Amino acid sequence: MQQDLITQARTWLAEDPDPETRAELAGLIDAGDLPALADRFAGTLQFGTAGLRGEIGAGPMRMNRSVVIRAAAGLAAYLKAQGEGGGLVVIGYDARYKSADFARDTAAVMTGAGLRAAVLPRPLPTPVLAYAVRHLGAVAGVEVTASHNPPRDNGYKVYLGDGSQIVPPADVEIAAAIAAVGPLDGVPRPEGGWEILGDEVLAAYLARTDAVLSPGSPRTARTVHTALHGVGTSVLTAAFARAGFPAPVLVAEQADPDPAFPTVAFPNPEEPGAMDLAFATARRTDPDIVIANDPDADRCAVAVPDPSAEGGWRMLRGDEVGALLAAHLVDRGASGVFAESIVSSSLLGRIAEKAGLGYEETLTGFKWIARVEGLRYGYEEALGYCVDPEGVRDKDGITAALLITELASVLKEQGRTLLDLLDDLALEHGLHATDQLSVRVEDLTVIANAMRRLRETPPTALAGLPVTSAEDLSQGTDALPPTDGLRYQLTGARVIVRPSGTEPKLKCYLEVVVPVPGRDGLPEAHAKGAELLAAIKRDLAAAAGI
């Protein structure tokens, strides 16, 4: 067993093209560090509907050049099998460790396989790549990014020619093609032959961002912006300048790309402490709203002044921003279908119904939301918003930032705020209060055990509210394909439990709906909602054994 592991590691080492991971692996072999080797060779990083994502390092269970070359070769083989052998593959990348290397390797593999490859000119937001796929008529796109994962991670996201992320069965077929790739020296990787794009694609994307705003709308709201050390600053500030908004005040410590993400524990605006510097900047400059992008700028977080919040600023939940953008689009006379994932607030459905618009629920992820026929607007509670589906069939933190700033400007002209509009929505549709119980684990069996426990002994009540239905989503439903999740309907509440598709987390999504008799009843409704959510969270944690 030990000798097999050493032999496996030496075989991998012999074909690893990266001096850094070669040195890492050689050191582990020389030291006889069997636990570390076993961890790196316990299997293969699996290619799924989120593509690849994992920690950078040596071996098949890490993100590295060998793994990326195999992924690219498998993708090229899949595209050729689909009859796309001479097609264009456009490649984008963020500013994480190794991202530029992985993009260059992908371009070399595609070129060597007889496809045409074009690489974006520098680290740019993921939505620029998603836009470029359709704009350039590509047969596929690759974005090298780990989004808001920890600094040591990287990832590999695949789009097909419709500009949407892959869904089954394409993921399984690409994974099979990757598994069939032989030794790396059999994968042609020329030194050149691909195109490095200029700024034309970015200019076309920026021109398209204007389409999300109403001609002649107010553009007066003042913003603070943080890119969280990611790639969003230059594109967002250019989009705001084109639109005629006041220039955002940048959180200087976080404005430039830095793969070490030195000022945050996790580069995710939802994580505790990630917004501290943005709020400090806001207290100095007194803007109307604070906007944060995650490192690849496909997500958008929004915070508002709130005297009752600690430090005077409050993060809006993704569901709150999702409802605000929907209400704004309805007010502007939008037509088409509004869509969201099943883990997002049911308020969107009520807004759509009242406006006479179509509404659909999908599985989690924009790979599903973006495929809804007739989509006009889609969102997901994890800070993802698709406000221009004809331009970008994915979440886009740049255009979402423009649209929420337009809404803040419209309200500002009326002497109102985003919180005032949220109150209006609560009065009209009931207070939809949401929260999340999210457990990050070192040991993935904790998640498996919690799911098994809930399946074997589903709760009959949470927070004193009877569970009226319990669905195992792994069986699929009339409207949804199978997924690893559980959904509980309660009297006046809803709970969904699922393992994260991109991080070692168990995620539980909670929603309660509290009737609001009148404006004077809003404080009591908020208190009631918070109380119920806390009780559901406590009872669900006990039921799941977490």
Side-chain angles (χ1 to χ4, degrees):
M1 174 63 185
Q2 292 183 5
Q3 193 53 48
D4 287 349
L5 184 58
I6 295 291
T7 301
Q8 197 179 355
R10 289 192 190 282
T11 302
W12 185 275
L13 179 66
E15 62 174 21
D16 186 344
D18 189 330
E20 289 184 28
T21 47
R22 282 177 59 83
E24 175 195 334
L25 188 53
L28 294 175
I29 294 170
D30 292 345
D33 191 339
L34 296 176
L37 289 172
D39 184 43
R40 285 160 175 76
F41 288 86
T44 304
L45 207 57
Q46 289 302 301
F47 186 95
T49 49
L52 294 168
R53 201 174 286 189
E55 185 180 344
I56 294 170
M61 286 296 289
R62 297 287 189 271
M63 281 296 295
N64 51 63
R65 290 183 61 198
S66 296
V67 164
V68 165
I69 289 166
R70 288 181 181 281
L75 175 59
Y78 167 82
L79 292 170
K80 290 165 80 172
Q82 300 296 310
E84 306 285 10
L88 172 69
V89 178
V90 60
I91 301 152
Y93 59 102
D94 66 11
R96 284 178 176 267
Y97 295 118
K98 303 284 184 187
S99 285
D101 295 339
F102 295 165
R104 187 172 56 249
D105 282 332
T106 300
V109 171
M110 294 301 163
T111 303
L115 290 121
R116 293 178 295 124
V119 184
L120 293 180
R122 58 185 172 280
L124 287 167
T126 292
V128 177
L129 181 277
Y131 169 80
V133 172
R134 296 180 72 214
H135 177 68
L136 296 174
V139 299
V142 171
E143 176 70 14
V144 180
T145 181
S147 189
H148 57 279
N149 273 40
R152 286 298 305 169
D153 287 6
N154 213 329
Y156 199 82
K157 187 185 290 191
V158 175
Y159 297 77
L160 293 181
D162 63 355
S164 302
Q165 296 178 51
I166 54 168
V167 294
D171 58 339
V172 175
E173 293 168 5
I174 295 170
I178 293 169
V181 174
L184 286 193
D185 60 11
V187 178
R189 302 199 309 278
E191 292 295 315
W194 56 90
E195 181 183 2
I196 304 295
L197 295 165
D199 279 340
E200 300 83 5
V201 171
L202 177 59
Y205 167 83
L206 285 168
R208 177 82 202 185
T209 62
D210 298 350
V212 306
L213 302 173
S214 291
S217 62
R219 311 280 166 95
T220 54
R222 294 176 302 107
T223 57
V224 159
H225 176 258
T226 175
L228 289 182
H229 302 294
V231 298
T233 299
S234 63
V235 177
L236 181 130
T237 53
F240 270 55
R242 284 183 63 96
F245 287 111
V249 174
L250 303 181
V251 179
E253 303 93 329
Q254 299 173 333
D256 295 327
D258 187 337
F261 301 103
T263 67
V264 291
F266 287 96
N268 178 352
E270 295 177 293
E271 294 283 350
M275 296 293 291
D276 287 357
L277 286 171
F279 292 157
T281 304
R283 285 190 286 271
R284 289 196 305 272
T285 58
D286 194 29
D288 297 297
I289 57 173
V290 171
I291 289 171
N293 291 126
D294 67 339
D296 67 328
D298 62 352
R299 296 170 196 248
C300 176
V302 180
V304 294
D306 183 350
S308 68
E310 184 179 346
W313 282 84
R314 173 165 86 82
M315 282 283 288
L316 296 181
R317 293 193 169 277
D319 284 318
E320 292 176 310
V321 176
L324 288 167
L325 291 175
H328 184 41
L329 290 170
V330 166
D331 193 52
R332 284 179 18 178
S335 60
V337 178
F338 283 9
E340 64 181 341
S341 62
I342 57 171
V343 301
S344 304
S345 171
S346 59
L347 178 55
L348 184 70
R350 298 192 181 194
I351 293 170
E353 182 182 16
K354 176 110 188 246
L357 298 175
Y359 167 73
E360 281 200 36
E361 275 190 323
T362 73
L363 292 183
T364 309
F366 273 82
K367 57 184 176 282
W368 300 108
I369 294 171
R371 284 182 159 75
V372 168
E373 196 168 334
L375 181 68
R376 173 59 186 89
Y377 167 62
Y379 98 90
E380 189 157 80
E381 56 74 44
L383 310 181
Y385 314 94
C386 175
V387 301
D388 177 24
E390 286 305 303
V392 176
R393 292 188 177 175
D394 199 1
K395 55 188 177 292
D396 182 345
I398 306 297
T399 49
L402 287 170
L403 196 61
I404 198 71
T405 308
E406 179 184 61
L407 174 57
S409 300
V410 169
L411 293 167
K412 184 178 182 179
E413 298 295 298
Q414 301 168 357
R416 286 158 42 81
T417 68
L418 295 178
L419 293 180
D420 292 327
L421 181 51
L422 284 173
D423 285 346
D424 292 349
L425 292 171
L427 287 166
E428 189 172 1
H429 303 289
L431 175 68
H432 289 62
T434 59
D435 201 358
Q436 193 180 121
L437 171 62
S438 180
V439 182
R440 184 181 290 273
V441 301
E442 294 290 329
D443 179 2
L444 290 176
T445 62
V446 172
I447 294 175
N449 290 340
M451 295 296 289
R452 187 181 70 249
R453 180 167 169 161
L454 288 170
R455 283 190 167 103
E456 291 174 354
T457 316
T460 56
L462 296 168
L465 303 173
V467 175
T468 55
S469 75
E471 293 174 278
D472 186 343
L473 298 175
S474 66
Q475 308 301 310
T477 72
D478 291 345
L480 300 168
T483 188
D484 186 10
L486 301 165
R487 178 162 59 181
Y488 304 116
Q489 300 289 351
L490 298 88
T491 305
R494 184 212 66 198
V495 172
I496 293 174
V497 183
R498 61 178 281 273
S500 169
T502 56
E503 297 177 90
K505 282 183 175 181
L506 181 68
K507 302 183 98 170
C508 310
Y509 305 85
L510 324 175
E511 179 178 44
V512 298
V513 182
V514 183
V516 185
R519 197 163 291 275
D520 291 346
L522 278 166
E524 186 180 343
H526 280 286
K528 177 71 171 172
E531 178 189 327
L532 281 171
L533 288 170
I536 291 173
K537 195 183 286 194
R538 181 193 64 229
D539 292 354
L540 184 63
I546 53 175

